[in-house]
Amino acid sequence: MPVDVDNSSTVSGDASVSSSGNQNPPPKSTAKKKRSLPGMPDPDAEVIALSPKTLMATNRFVCEICNKGFQRDQNLQLHRRGHNLPWKLRQRSGKEVRKRVYVCPEPTCVHHDPSRALGDLTGIKKHFCRKHGEKKWKCDKCSKKYAVQSDWKAHSKICGTREYKCDCGTLFSRRDSFITHRAFCDALAEESAKAQTNPGSEPDPKVLAVDSSPTPALPPASPPVSAPAPVEVQVSAQALPQSTSAMTSSVMPIQSSELAEDPSSVMEEAPALAPGLNGSCSSGVSSVSNGSSSSSSSSVFASLFASSTASASLQPPAFTDLIRAIGPPDCPIDPAPSTPIEPISLCLSTSHGSSIFGSAGQEHRQYAPPPQPAMSATALLQKAAQMGAAASNASLLRGLGVVSSSSSSAPQENLQWGQRQVEPINASVAAGLGLELPSDGSSGLKELMMGTPVFGPKQTTLDFLGLGVAASGSPNGGLSALITSIGGGLDVTAAPASFGGGDFKDMGRIS
Amino acid sequence: MFQDESSSVTSSSSPLQVFSMMSLSPKLGSPYPWIRELKSEERGLYLIHLLLTCANHVANGSLENANIALEQISQLASPGGDTMQRMAAYFTEALADRILKAWPALHKALNSTRITLVSEEILVRKLFFELFPFMKVAFVLTNQAVIEAMEGEKMVHIIDLNAAEPAQWVALIQALSARPEGPPHLRITGIHQRKEVLDQMAHRLTEEAEKLDLPFQFNPVVSKLENLDIERLRVKTGEALAISSVLQLHSLLASDDELDRKKSPLGSKNLNGIHLQRALQMNQSTSGELLEKDSANGYSPSPDSASSSPLSSAGSVKVDSFLNALWGLSPKLIVITEQDSNHNGSTLMERLLESLHSYAALFDCSESTVSRTSLERLKVEKMLFGEEIKNIIACEGAERKERHEKLEKWIQRLKLAGFGNIPLSYYGMLHARRLLQGYNCDGYKMKEEDGCVVICWQDRPLFSVSAWRCRK
């Protein structure tokens, strides 16, 4: 008779017992837990290692009368009742039975380690068969083989029900492998190449920058909107299975905000199209061989884009496009929106194209046409650093000298003294702003600082305490004295304000 | 006199010329009539100058001058204007807040009746998630790393250090349920300060899991991250553990910096050294002391936080012990998303300059993708970016939570804590790039650096995502 595994405390030939090794002793689960979760070993559970033979064995319990095999002893006993044989159903033992967990006998397996044991006997059996067993069950529709009968049954229910077909003709049952394939499929690569060369204005720098696969830069979902997102997601998630079975082409329906919700479906949604345009678009996509159709599909995309993105993206792409237009002169701006991505921005930029190109390549124009998009803050910062560096020392200082000489002589001395002291500080402070332009870093900030007094109205007051600070003799005082003395000049309301400033200063001093 | 200036500089510096000329003519009527006539670029440049000047004044403690600069800025800045105007608005608010902190009681009194609506906070996070792709990309990369690490696992336990956005895990549930080998048993432990957020998450995730017939359990843990008790996470042996940290670790770098300065050898090179000594001895900050400490460190060549070793400051103790505790759980995977900017400089000017650049990129991004009149954009800019800026600029010590650091520093820290880098898979990056493409804005860039992914706006890195495993 096969060894009775229930009696695990005996050291039999087949079973061995070891205590589980714990790394952390987490607290026991609370009473709130509904049922014990399968395969989660309790820290003080008993670890049982069964032999492969025991695991693979089915029907270990055999009826002596009719030789019917049973997997469980209980079932055999119930069967024996039918033969009027003496039967004994083992009750659950009165004392609390220790939870048992099982390890895989295969030494190379992850679950061979007691800390990774599985808590379910059926589970470990299936695992062993699946991973370390021979695949005896084969699906008749496809060629997949399975070691566990239940896996095989589950598969054959699904086999052939969901299929994805690529343009190149390959069939997939799995969504993720379908997506991966499409990313690299040659047929698609051809199509995108045609789409790129034909209208001639595919934004190559952009494509390279994103470093994506050579799929056509199809118009993606519209920029996400805030409120109705979850509702849309639900609806579209359900709509997806039906539509995929319905479609034979590679086109998938558009989900506007589902990008957020589902990373695996992101792959589908990104090159998505509106459902309403399926017919025309798929014809556009599939009939790639002639260039005319690609441009017609592009125009379809353009109209889609015009309708769906009217609200949000009208203004913004113009600016990026503008910057790009200013940059590389061979980046064409087509009058006709031939790329699917930026029909609106191209239209907008063409209106300014002439003025920008006409201005001898300088990006700053004081009297540019009215709806000029603002310069980006990043560009402004770079420019500020550049400006500071560009202006020479001497001229600005002279300018300062001019301004300050109108008031008393003391600040002028201060300034001169201050300049000498300014250098050591510059590197650290200027380095921040001058980061983008390493060659200009040293004098950048200093010029900026010195530049400020020139902005304000005439210097009218002195900052006595500024002088006091300067007199302390440390290098830090120099630049701050400079700023404060000049800053005093920024004070339009002369006496009272500086008085107030003085008060604050005093407060500050007295610690 | 000014001819020399104009000839020696390019035409783009004409604003300087304009301003200098203006300064000589007396004003009539309003103090700054010429300000209104500035074009947007000149105005932007002027704003930058003013911001730097103002910050200088604040760092020195010359409040009157700072006030004047603030006045000038207020004529030009506006939260509804162009990029630079908006940025200036939030930066000046931060600077003003900083000045006000010199009078702690005053500051406290002004903020005592402020109402913070949880719903608004939640909404702003949601808006940031939806209007910008950064969070989505981080989620996509995290989920992909989880799926790959958990291949073949039957029991998966995920710990989310800031469980605020259900979308991430909904996506993971969907992906796991579509797994060819069948779904694992999934357990997610979500940590958050607010119980309402966790309840919402629990509801959404259980609903999704039930729909897809995936065995699922959500364990909420209501706690601040710094006070987290690891035991409450209930990590069990036998399950495969993954940890997801999205923009959470940097707040653990916050510490009482005064203690650091005492130990730092550069603490003595200060302006008004006597005052500073006294300040340190008293170890309180009255108004003047705070300003003096500020001015002291305004320009001292303090160690660039990018170069010093992470273990040198007290601030890293908290984060190191937290990382060690996580390491002790033997996670199979830990994915960390952080801002990739150095906003943790020890001086105000350092942080100001760095944050000007990073937030310029963020505001540019916002300008390029969302309409100016959008209320959502305003909310995100004010309640998210603006608050971060305020924290970076106005706060010091333990209060300053937004201690963003560059990726290299995080890599160092994680390696020291016993983690080994797992390069993010090509497939995950493919997902993420597709997502970025979907935003139809070529300002978004993604690049790979040592197996980690950095999401940039134009050339400015903004966020980084990296995956790690336990190194035994």
Side-chain angles (χ1 to χ4, degrees), chain B residues 20-265:
Chain B
S20 56
M21 299 214 39
M22 291 289 195
S23 69
L24 291 184
S25 56
K27 302 294 158 301
L28 297 169
S30 96
Y32 315 108
W34 46 277
I35 281 181
R36 302 273 175 248
E37 292 140 23
L38 284 178
K39 293 284 178 284
S40 107
E41 185 187 320
E42 295 154 8
R43 179 178 57 208
L45 290 168
Y46 190 29
L47 275 172
I48 296 173
H49 293 153
L50 285 173
L51 275 174
L52 291 166
T53 316
C54 182
N56 263 314
H57 290 319
V58 173
N60 295 335
S62 37
L63 302 178
E64 185 47 38
N65 300 316
N67 188 47
I68 293 159
L70 284 176
E71 168 63 34
Q72 291 205 311
I73 300 178
S74 70
Q75 304 278 329
L76 300 172
S78 152
D82 71 22
T83 317
M84 204 59 225
Q85 282 180 298
R86 287 173 185 239
M87 267 187 69
Y90 297 115
F91 271 92
T92 46
E93 192 183 342
L95 285 168
D97 201 56
R98 189 184 178 94
I99 296 172
L100 205 58
K101 279 192 197 267
W103 289 271
L106 182 62
H107 186 266
K108 201 160 74 162
L110 267 179
N111 290 319
S112 59
T113 57
R114 176 195 295 200
I115 305 171
T116 42
L117 287 174
V118 179
S119 56
E120 280 293 292
E121 286 177 16
I122 296 174
L123 176 67
V124 163
R125 298 259 160 211
K126 185 95 191 165
L127 288 174
F128 179 64
F129 167 73
E130 292 192 351
L131 292 174
F132 301 96
F134 307 117
M135 294 291 97
K136 292 182 194 170
V137 167
F139 292 161
V140 158
L141 289 167
T142 307
N143 285 354
Q144 186 59 32
V146 168
I147 293 172
E148 284 167 14
M150 298 303 173
E151 230 173 300
E153 295 288 349
K154 286 292 185 212
M155 296 294 311
V156 175
H157 182 192
I158 299 189
I159 296 179
D160 188 351
L161 296 189
N162 184 43
E165 183 52 62
Q168 177 179 13
W169 305 122
V170 164
L172 185 69
I173 288 174
Q174 288 171 345
L176 284 176
S177 69
R179 211 158 78 140
E181 66 220 65
H185 185 103
L186 181 65
R187 192 153 82 92
I188 298 186
T189 300
I191 304 169
H192 201 273
Q193 286 183 50
R194 300 229 183 252
K195 186 173 180 309
E196 304 91 335
V197 174
L198 289 176
D199 288 341
Q200 223 173 13
M201 261 209 112
H203 174 75
R204 178 80 187 88
L205 294 181
T206 7
E207 177 187 52
E208 188 70 27
E210 271 171 32
K211 204 171 25 142
L212 294 171
D213 199 26
L214 178 139
F216 177 73
Q217 193 185 38
F218 184 81
N219 301 115
V221 174
V222 182
S223 166
K224 266 198 202 180
L225 206 63
E226 51 194 1
N227 305 331
L228 180 69
D229 178 13
I230 292 284
E231 299 295 310
R232 287 177 70 185
L233 299 175
R234 312 234 315 261
V235 174
K236 314 223 162 133
T237 48
E239 59 187 13
L241 179 65
I243 303 178
S244 161
S245 162
V246 176
L247 309 181
Q248 295 305 304
L249 290 183
H250 60 256
S251 64
L252 295 172
L253 291 170
S255 80
D256 198 2
D257 289 327
E258 313 320 25
L259 300 171
D260 289 358
R261 283 195 206 151
K262 257 195 246 178
K263 294 174 189 159
S264 138

Side-chain angles (χ1 to χ4, degrees), chain A residues 22-156:
Chain A
N22 287 344
Q23 285 155 1
N24 317 316
K28 275 241 186 247
S29 41
T30 62
K32 226 169 116 192
K33 198 164 74 160
K34 295 178 203 75
R35 58 180 171 125
S36 94
L37 304 158
M40 182 131 75
D42 240 344
D44 44 29
E46 204 177 354
V47 179
I48 301 181
L50 302 168
S51 78
K53 196 174 67 154
T54 325
L55 281 181
M56 297 280 287
T58 55
N59 303 347
R60 294 183 295 112
F61 304 93
V62 185
C63 171
E64 57 228 30
I65 308 285
C66 57
N67 277 335
K68 191 168 157 96
F70 297 90
Q71 294 206 21
R72 293 202 176 103
D73 182 50
Q74 310 276 61
N75 301 346
L76 173 63
Q77 296 305 317
L78 290 173
H79 168 83
R80 279 164 65 102
R81 282 199 305 195
H83 292 305
N84 295 321
L85 285 172
W87 55 277
K88 181 157 123 193
L89 272 179
R90 310 184 87 230
Q91 309 283 356
R92 279 175 73 99
S93 55
K95 69 171 172 66
E96 190 64 31
V97 179
R98 260 177 95 192
K99 173 104 176 62
R100 292 200 190 102
V101 294
Y102 305 90
V103 291
C104 181
E106 173 63 37
T108 59
C109 185
V110 171
H111 294 288
H112 188 68
D113 183 17
S115 68
R116 303 299 308 275
L118 302 174
D120 185 47
L121 179 58
T122 323
I124 193 78
K125 283 183 179 176
K126 282 197 180 167
H127 157 81
F128 186 72
C129 287
R130 262 191 215 116
K131 287 289 172 62
H132 314 298
E134 180 206 328
K135 296 191 173 154
K136 294 182 278 203
W137 306 94
K138 184 187 162 309
C139 172
D140 42 15
K141 288 185 215 156
C142 63
S143 58
K144 279 200 86 159
K145 287 192 164 171
Y146 293 91
V148 180
Q149 190 185 15
S150 52
D151 291 348
W152 169 77
K153 271 194 196 162
H155 166 82
S156 47

Side-chain angles (χ1 to χ4, degrees), chain B residues 347-371:
Chain B
T347 72
L348 171 67
M349 286 312 287
E350 267 183 77
R351 298 203 300 272
L352 183 84
L353 292 167
E354 267 301 303
S355 54
L356 269 177
H357 281 106
S358 333
Y359 286 96
L362 267 173
F363 275 84
D364 280 340
C365 168
S366 169
E367 171 84 3
S368 305
T369 53
V370 189
S371 125

Side-chain angles (χ1 to χ4, degrees), chain A residues 23-27 29 37-41 115-116 130 174 176 180 183-184 206 209-213 215 220-221 224-226 229 234 259-264 266-267 270-271 305 312 316-317 319-320 324 341 362 364 366 374-378 380-381 383-384 387 390-392 395-396 398-399 402 425 428-429 432-433 435-436 445 448-449 451-452 454-458 463 472 474 476-477 479-480 483-484 487-488 490-492 497 501 504-505 507-509 511, chain B residues 1-2 4-5 8-9 11-14 16 19-20 23 27 32 34 39-42 44-46 48-49 52-53 56-57 60-65 68 82-84 87 103 127 129-130 136 140 143 153-155 167 170-171 174-175 180 185 204 208 211 217 231 234-240 271-272 275 278 288-289 292 296 299-300 328-330 353-354 356-357 360-361 364 367-372 376 426-427 430-431 433-435 437-440 442 445 458 460:
Chain A
Q23 285 155 1
N24 317 316
S29 41
L37 304 158
M40 182 131 75
S115 68
R116 303 299 308 275
R130 262 191 215 116
R174 279 177 53 172
D176 48 356
T180 319
F184 298 107
K206 177 185 69 152
V210 179
D211 193 26
S212 61
S213 52
T215 53
V225 295
S226 47
Q234 294 308 319
L259 288 172
E261 314 287 328
D262 188 349
S264 57
V266 160
M267 296 297 294
F305 231 78
F319 143 67
T320 45
R324 228 163 3 104
I341 298 300
Q362 277 214 349
H364 172 60
Q366 279 197 336
M375 237 177 118
S376 78
T378 321
L380 280 172
L381 281 168
K383 191 150 188 187
M387 268 175 61
S392 67
S395 57
L396 266 179
R398 214 175 308 132
V402 168
I425 320 311
S428 55
V429 180
L433 195 55
L435 263 178
E436 325 278 319
L445 197 60
L448 285 175
M449 290 304 125
T452 49
V454 191
F455 296 161
K458 193 160 69 163
D463 186 353
S472 73
S474 79
N476 287 333
L479 188 55
S480 47
I483 299 296
T484 51
L490 292 174
D491 180 11
V492 180
F504 284 156
K505 278 255 160 192
M507 267 174 65
R509 293 277 150 207
S511 48
Chain B
M1 268 161 261
F2 294 101
D4 295 32
E5 275 184 80
S8 62
V9 299
S11 65
S12 62
S13 72
S14 52
L16 272 176
F19 302 147
S20 56
S23 69
K27 302 294 158 301
Y32 315 108
W34 46 277
K39 293 284 178 284
S40 107
E41 185 187 320
E42 295 154 8
L45 290 168
Y46 190 29
I48 296 173
H49 293 153
L52 291 166
T53 316
N56 263 314
H57 290 319
N60 295 335
S62 37
L63 302 178
E64 185 47 38
N65 300 316
I68 293 159
D82 71 22
T83 317
M84 204 59 225
M87 267 187 69
W103 289 271
L127 288 174
F129 167 73
E130 292 192 351
K136 292 182 194 170
V140 158
N143 285 354
E153 295 288 349
K154 286 292 185 212
M155 296 294 311
V170 164
Q174 288 171 345
H185 185 103
R204 178 80 187 88
E208 188 70 27
K211 204 171 25 142
Q217 193 185 38
E231 299 295 310
R234 312 234 315 261
V235 174
K236 314 223 162 133
T237 48
E239 59 187 13
L271 179 66
N272 304 317
H275 293 278
R278 232 188 304 153
E289 282 172 277
E292 249 133 39
Y299 297 103
S300 66
L329 298 173
S330 322
L353 292 167
E354 267 301 303
L356 269 177
H357 281 106
D364 280 340
E367 171 84 3
S368 305
T369 53
V370 189
S371 125
R372 269 192 205 176
E376 279 93 21
Y426 180 78
Y427 195 53
L430 191 65
H431 266 312
R433 286 194 208 276
R434 285 282 172 95
L435 186 74
Q437 267 182 301
Y439 268 77
N440 184 37
D442 54 348
K445 305 259 187 334
Q458 306 294 359
R460 180 84 195 173

